[in-house]
């Protein structure tokens, strides 16, 4: 589902929202032309899931290069070795993004990783508003929610291929009378990557942190 995120859930983009909703529900069609891991074993535990839609097989992501909240290069290798929840947005977002970040914090508590020296789960916020979200701005934003949360951004040429591959969408939305000049419409889903940096599940809006944590436990045991 895609929302105009500047004023909460003020405006739903019907064409994009319908498309993303269909893709999220029919994950097999959504990723039917994408690259899957041929070594993935049995099918995903669909019946055991409470909130998420698992992919038919884990999806292998292409290499990418972004910049993290500390102005360091951030790429596929930074996603390996741990599970990662991922969402997109922008720091001036008034509703969806802070709600997703609060969901991150609640999931973190639910699965007991808060404060761990080497957490089993990472939480990544990708800004799709690079014109306004510098690494410094991104660092202040993500660490407002938790010192361990990570942020990343890049040019649109860097962001767009990754966002498309994740099955998400975003676009600039000019709105008359908006003091900030423009808003950013973007998908509200939260995704889950496994320790091999493969996309394994999609969690559509609205989010239930307890159910998502339970689904994480199921997927953790399965993969």
């Amino acid at each position: 589902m895609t929302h105009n995120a500047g004023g909460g859930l003020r405006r739903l983009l019907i064409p994009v929202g319908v498309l993303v909703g269909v893709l999220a529900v029919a994950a097999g069609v959504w990723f039917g032309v994408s690259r899957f891991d041929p070594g993935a074993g049995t099918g995903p535990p669909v019946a055991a899931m409470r909130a998420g839609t698992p992919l038919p097989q884990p999806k292998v992501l292409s290499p990418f290069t972004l910049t993290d909240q500390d102005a360091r290069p951030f790429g596929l290798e930074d996603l390996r070795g741990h599970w990662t929840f991922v969402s997109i947005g922008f720091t001036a977002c008034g509703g969806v993004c802070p709600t997703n970040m609060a969901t991150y914090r609640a999931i973190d508590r639910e699965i007991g990783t808060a404060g761990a020296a080497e957490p089993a789960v990472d939480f990544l916020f990708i800004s799709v508003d690079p014109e306004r979200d510098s690494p410094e701005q991104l660092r202040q934003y993500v660490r407002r929610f938790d010192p361990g949360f990570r942020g990343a951004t890049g040019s649109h040429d860097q962001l767009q291929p990754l966002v498309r591959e994740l099955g998400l969408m975003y676009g600039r939305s000019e709105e008359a009378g908006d003091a900030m000049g423009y808003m950013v419409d973007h998908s509200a889903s939260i995704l889950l990557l496994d320790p091999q940096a493969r996309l394994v599940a999609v969690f559509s809006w609205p989010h239930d942190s307890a159910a998502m944590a339970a689904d994480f436990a199921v997927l953790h045991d399965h993969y």
Side-chain angles (χ1 to χ4, degrees), residues 14-163:
I14 298 301
V16 174
V18 169
L19 176 60
V20 174
V22 169
L23 295 179
V25 173
V29 176
W30 184 4
F31 294 98
V33 296
S34 301
R35 299 181 307 125
F36 293 101
D37 184 350
T42 59
V46 177
M49 300 287 284
R50 292 173 50 189
T53 302
L55 274 65
Q57 299 176 45
K59 182 184 179 186
V60 180
L61 299 180
S62 302
F64 64 88
T65 301
L66 299 178
T67 301
D68 75 6
Q69 75 282 345
D70 296 315
R72 297 177 301 196
F74 183 91
L76 197 60
E77 288 304 312
D78 295 287
L79 297 173
R80 299 190 190 277
H82 47 79
W83 292 82
T84 306
F85 285 94
V86 181
S87 63
I88 65 171
F90 62 116
T91 65
C93 176
V96 171
C97 302
T99 300
N100 280 356
M101 296 300 286
T103 299
Y104 277 179
R105 191 164 52 193
I107 295 170
D108 194 34
R109 288 196 300 266
E110 290 280 351
I111 61 180
T113 64
E118 293 292 338
V121 184
D122 206 352
F123 297 87
L124 174 65
F125 174 77
I126 299 176
S127 170
V128 291
D129 185 15
E131 290 82 7
R132 295 182 294 190
D133 287 346
S134 65
E136 171 64 24
Q137 176 75 11
L138 198 52
R139 181 170 67 251
Q140 292 178 7
Y141 184 78
V142 298
R143 291 183 177 169
R144 185 186 313 159
F145 294 92
D146 189 280
F149 289 174
R150 303 193 70 176
T153 191
S155 69
H156 292 295
D157 286 343
Q158 294 171 316
L159 288 164
Q160 287 171 354
L162 173 61
V163 170

